Amino acid sequence: MLEITDDAPAQTPAAGPAPLADAVAANASATVAPTAATPVGPLVIIGSGHAGYGLAEAVRGRDAEREIHVVTADDGGLYSKPALSNAFALGKDAEALLDESALSIERRLNIRVHAFCPVQRIDAEAKRLVTRLGELDYGQLVLATGASPIRIPVEGEAGALLSVNDRGDYAAMRERLDTLGRAARVVIIGDGLIGCEFANDLAQAGHKIEVVGLAERPLSRLLPEAGSAVLREALAAQGVGWHLSRSVASVAAEEVGYRLTLTDRSELAADLVVSAVGLAPNTALASAAGIDCGRGIRVDDHLMTSLPGVYALGDAVEIGGQLLPYLAPINAGLRALAATLTGTPTAVSYPVMPVMVKTPAAPICVVVPSAEVDANWHCTATSDGIEAGAYDAGGRLLGFALVGEAAMAGRSDWVKACGQDQAA
């Protein structure tokens, strides 16, 4: 759950893939750019998250008359998912996270929002959606179906594991914690970005946090070892305990809370267990319709799927073999896709995209170097963290990691330098 500052216009995926610009270029070489045409029929968007509503607004800005429908399985309310992982620190409940209701969005954008209307299947031949509430024809279709939490197998009370991926999940977590009326014992499964953000947020709210993770260090896919060490120590100073290189084997209910047995046979007591091991793109609807899917819904550089007239955007998208579940790539995509959908075919262009991690104990900004290129990290200690550059053998800057307030103060310079080297 990431946020982008003005001087960091986008984000890079956390797993350290090849530079997105290279992947897009390679993908584009096998792609025929769509020809300009006047759109015919309604634009239907499946999904009411940032990607879905952002696209609807961008299209409306270019075409005041286009018939636009947004179809969603939830209430259609607009809120920021990145805010879920620091809402406790901000003192917000689930209702306070809501930015705008579906009715307000309908009126503001002059669109139709079909709330509580899960899509059952896509009839590509007839260009029609079959939903729980009936059928809906489309001229152009956009899949902004998002991603769902990965569930790890555990013995015993597997239902005790709570994933926080929407306002409903957050409300359930708040209710459990508020009902206790005291500081809670919270076990977070996952040492990656979301797990660390929740650990910081809940620890700051006064809860006792234990993090369980398979990696040897936190944020191992994003940071060099020195950066992980700074983060670990900073969160430990907030009271966070670390149980790394292991996972949860079983969960047993007790009179009060749960007893977790880890894979090394150690045990932890918990009032709440939060699973934050990652997200998997929602591809089932697309795959059932015959759309080409891999890790996500595969699209070209114009965000078109393997079915003509059907596009995809957001957390569910795979482009050039990469997943892009971050706000900035989505923003770049929706601007280009809005142009394409209104008759001006436009390929997506992605700038340098730093990841911003919301861990106030040790704030982080990082551009992950390509996993396919040998990169050497050069780390320098700051007053409260580290700044590090990842360089190839020729001294070219491939990425960087800034941990701590002192290092973060220079992030604009690092973004510019990385952009210049990637363009060289």
Side-chain angles (χ1 to χ4, degrees):
M1 297 184 182
L2 311 175
E3 292 177 341
I4 298 296
T5 60
D6 291 340
D7 56 359
Q11 298 164 315
T12 189
L20 185 55
D22 295 345
V24 171
N27 201 50
S29 65
T31 301
V32 177
T35 57
T38 302
V40 177
L43 169 61
V44 177
I45 302 167
I46 302 176
S48 61
H50 177 73
Y53 277 142
L55 179 63
E57 185 165 9
V59 170
R60 177 59 72 229
R62 297 176 62 94
D63 186 339
E65 304 299 329
R66 185 73 190 276
E67 182 181 348
I68 302 173
H69 297 258
V70 172
V71 183
T72 178
D74 62 20
D75 64 5
L78 178 63
Y79 65 97
S80 170
K81 275 197 175 183
L84 293 173
S85 63
N86 69 337
F88 269 92
L90 298 176
K92 291 186 175 182
D93 59 17
E95 285 302 312
L97 289 174
L98 181 65
D99 294 323
E100 191 173 9
S101 69
L103 180 59
S104 174
I105 294 169
E106 282 190 323
R107 291 172 175 170
R108 179 169 60 86
L109 297 180
N110 187 27
I111 65 175
R112 175 68 189 278
V113 177
H114 304 262
F116 303 111
C117 184
V119 177
Q120 297 170 332
R121 65 184 178 90
I122 300 169
D123 185 340
E125 185 175 353
K127 303 189 75 172
R128 180 177 299 132
L129 298 185
V130 178
T131 79
R132 184 178 69 84
L133 301 180
E135 298 183 347
L136 179 63
D137 293 332
Y138 64 84
Q140 294 167 312
L141 178 65
V142 178
L143 307 178
T145 48
S148 296
I150 296 170
R151 303 289 295 183
I152 63 170
V154 298
E155 295 181 2
E157 301 290 333
L161 275 60
L162 176 64
S163 296
V164 183
N165 193 46
D166 56 35
R167 282 198 311 130
D169 296 337
Y170 178 73
M173 181 174 70
R174 285 294 301 247
E175 182 179 5
R176 292 190 193 184
L177 294 176
D178 292 345
T179 299
L180 287 173
R182 58 171 171 80
R185 303 163 298 171
V186 181
V187 172
I188 297 174
I189 307 173
D191 50 30
L193 188 148
I194 303 303
C196 289
E197 288 189 345
F198 270 116
N200 199 148
D201 190 48
L202 293 172
Q204 191 173 342
H207 300 292
K208 174 59 179 174
I209 310 301
E210 307 289 344
V211 175
V212 178
L214 284 172
E216 295 180 352
R217 53 191 176 87
L219 289 186
S220 59
R221 293 184 177 182
L222 285 176
L223 298 176
E225 289 188 20
S228 291
V230 172
L231 176 63
R232 178 172 179 167
E233 292 171 7
L235 290 180
Q238 299 279 332
V240 175
W242 296 95
H243 308 267
L244 302 175
S245 300
R246 69 200 84 176
S247 187
V248 174
S250 65
V251 180
E254 295 193 317
E255 184 175 350
V256 178
Y258 304 95
R259 176 68 54 179
L260 280 66
T261 301
L262 308 188
T263 50
D264 65 350
R265 299 186 180 180
S266 61
E267 295 185 340
L268 292 173
D271 299 301
L272 177 70
V273 185
V274 176
S275 178
V277 296
L279 299 173
N282 294 326
T283 61
L285 187 65
S287 182
I291 294 172
D292 182 29
C293 295
R295 297 171 65 201
I297 302 171
R298 292 190 173 120
V299 296
D300 64 17
D301 59 323
H302 287 72
L303 299 179
M304 183 183 287
T305 71
S306 59
L307 283 181
V310 180
Y311 302 80
L313 178 69
D315 292 359
V317 163
E318 175 186 333
I319 182 167
Q322 300 183 29
L323 302 178
L324 309 175
Y326 305 119
L327 291 181
I330 293 172
N331 289 338
L334 67 85
R335 288 190 292 267
L337 184 53
T340 296
L341 295 174
T342 53
T344 305
T346 303
V348 186
S349 177
Y350 299 96
V352 177
M353 298 188 291
V355 175
M356 303 292 292
V357 186
K358 299 194 301 299
T359 47
I364 295 168
C365 175
V366 57
V367 168
V368 184
S370 168
E372 299 179 358
V373 179
D374 289 333
N376 295 311
W377 286 100
H378 297 274
C379 301
T380 302
T382 66
S383 60
D384 64 347
I386 61 109
E387 57 180 14
Y391 300 89
D392 65 13
R396 180 190 179 198
L397 181 64
L398 303 176
F400 62 83
L402 310 176
V403 184
E405 294 287 355
M408 288 285 282
R411 63 183 180 271
S412 295
D413 293 335
W414 282 94
V415 170
K416 291 175 184 177
C418 197
Q420 289 168 357
D421 277 3
Q422 290 189 10

